Amino acid sequence: MAAPADLSELRINRDVPTPPARAALKRNLVLFSAALASIVAAVVVIRARAVPTVQVLTVSAGTGSNGSSTGTTSVTANGYVVARTNVVMVGPAA
């Protein structure tokens, strides 16, 4: 009878990924990072252009009834300017 074969050499080592698997992982990480950076850049650009800022500054110079000077008032608002009334022209302009 023959001696039993050493079966330990037939074991598959799953601890270390194969070179093609490592290359695919690196490629996928680079693609994911590039896609994420593109999305972040697009969001930043869209948010920067989305809402214009309107700044209104009212300054009142003068004295009050008791002789004290009035202070300055500053208001900052975000939004759009919308007309209350629409004008429709009929006929040629003069």
Side-chain angles (χ1 to χ4, degrees), residues 8-64:
S8 64
E9 294 178 11
L10 297 177
R11 172 175 265 169
I12 297 173
N13 185 4
R14 298 192 187 274
D15 295 334
V16 180
T18 62
R22 279 185 271 158
L25 178 63
K26 287 179 185 177
R27 182 192 67 228
N28 289 344
L29 286 175
V30 168
L31 290 175
F32 177 75
S33 299
L36 185 63
S38 298
I39 291 170
V40 168
V43 167
V44 168
V45 169
I46 289 171
R47 291 186 128 224
R49 294 183 182 185
V51 178
T53 302
V54 178
Q55 189 172 28
V56 178
L57 177 64
T58 304
V59 178
S60 175
T63 58

Side-chain angles (χ1 to χ4, degrees), residues 51-52 54 77-87:
V51 178
V54 178
N78 295 328
Y80 297 97
V81 177
V82 179
R84 289 186 182 185
T85 307
N86 292 330
V87 177

